[in-house]
C-alpha cells in the first residue's frame, strides 16, 4: 500500500516528510510495486525530499531511485544520489541508469553517470556541494540534526 511518507515524497512535501520521519515513519517502506519514498522523490525530481530521506538513512539502492531519476531527467536528484554513493550500475528491467539517460536524451545526466561508473568523484563534488548549500536551511537541515541526535534547533 501507499504510506503517508511515500505520498509526501512523491508530492515534494519536505516539511510533512520531516514530521513523519520524526514521528517514526519507516523511510524504506516500499509500496506493493517496490517503489520506496526515495524512489518517489527522485522520480519526480524533488531534491529537498531526496536530501531529507538520505539524511534519515534511506536505502539508496532500494527501489532503484537513481534509475528513476535518470529516466525522467531529474538532474538534482541524480547528483544527490551519486553523492550518497548509490550504485551507478543498479538498473531496472535490463537497463542501467546510464543507458536509460542516453535513450531519453539526458546528456548531462549521462555524463555524470559515466563519471560515477569510472569512480571519478571529483567530477561530482563541485556541483553537489553547490546543491547542498542551496538546500541548507530548509527542513532537511532540521531532519539531519534530528537524525544525528543533535539538541540544536
Amino acid at each position: 500500500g501507499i504510506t503517508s511518507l511515500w505520498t509526501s515524497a512523491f508530492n515534494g512535501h519536505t516539511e510533512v516528510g520531516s514530521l513523519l520521519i520524526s514521528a517514526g515513519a519507516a523511510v524504506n517502506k516500499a509500496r506493493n510495486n517496490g517503489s520506496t519514498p526515495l524512489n518517489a522523490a527522485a522520480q519526480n525530481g524533488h531534491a529537498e525530499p531526496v536530501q531529507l530521506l538520505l539524511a534519515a538513512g534511506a536505502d539508496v539502492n532500494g527501489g532503484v531511485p537513481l534509475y528513476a531519476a535518470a529516466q525522467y531527467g531529474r538532474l538534482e536528484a541524480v547528483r544527490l544520489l551519486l553523492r550518497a554513493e548509490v550504485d551507478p550500475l543498479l538498473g531496472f528491467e535490463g537497463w542501467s541508469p546510464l543507458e536509460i539517460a542516453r535513450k531519453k536524451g539526458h546528456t548531462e545526466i549521462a555524463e555524470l553517470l559515466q563519471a560515477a561508473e569510472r569512480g571519478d568523484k571529483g567530477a561530482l563534488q563541485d556541483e553537489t556541494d553547490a546543491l547542498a548549500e542551496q538546500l541548507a536551511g530548509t527542513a532537511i537541515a532540521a531532519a539531519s540534526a534530528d537524525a544525528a541526535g543533535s539538541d540544536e534547533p
Side-chain angles (χ1 to χ4, degrees):
I2 298 176
T3 66
S4 296
L5 183 59
W6 188 94
T7 301
S8 72
F10 181 86
N11 291 307
H13 299 302
T14 309
E15 293 80 14
V16 173
S18 181
L19 289 171
L20 291 166
I21 290 168
S22 294
V27 296
N28 293 314
K29 175 81 173 153
R31 291 184 56 191
N32 295 341
N33 67 2
S35 177
T36 64
L38 183 58
N39 197 86
Q43 175 178 327
N44 288 303
H46 299 307
E48 287 184 20
V50 167
Q51 184 87 6
L52 171 71
L53 291 160
L54 291 171
D59 178 6
V60 295
N61 293 315
V64 293
L66 182 61
Y67 177 89
Q71 179 180 20
Y72 291 99
R74 310 307 190 187
L75 182 59
E76 291 80 15
V78 168
R79 287 178 180 151
L80 288 167
L81 291 164
L82 289 173
R83 185 176 187 178
E85 299 186 5
V86 65
D87 180 352
L89 300 174
L90 186 62
F92 182 70
E93 295 184 351
W95 291 81
S96 73
L98 175 58
E99 291 167 333
I100 197 67
R102 283 182 177 153
K103 179 181 180 191
K104 298 289 187 171
H106 305 306
T107 307
E108 191 170 356
I109 290 173
E111 290 170 1
L112 285 173
L113 291 167
Q114 282 180 309
E117 286 184 8
R118 289 191 311 266
D120 183 2
K121 293 184 181 184
L124 305 172
Q125 198 60 43
D126 292 337
E127 294 182 40
T128 54
D129 284 345
L131 181 60
E133 286 179 26
Q134 176 187 346
L135 295 174
T138 61
I140 59 166
S144 295
D146 287 347
S150 173
D151 290 333
E152 295 180 25

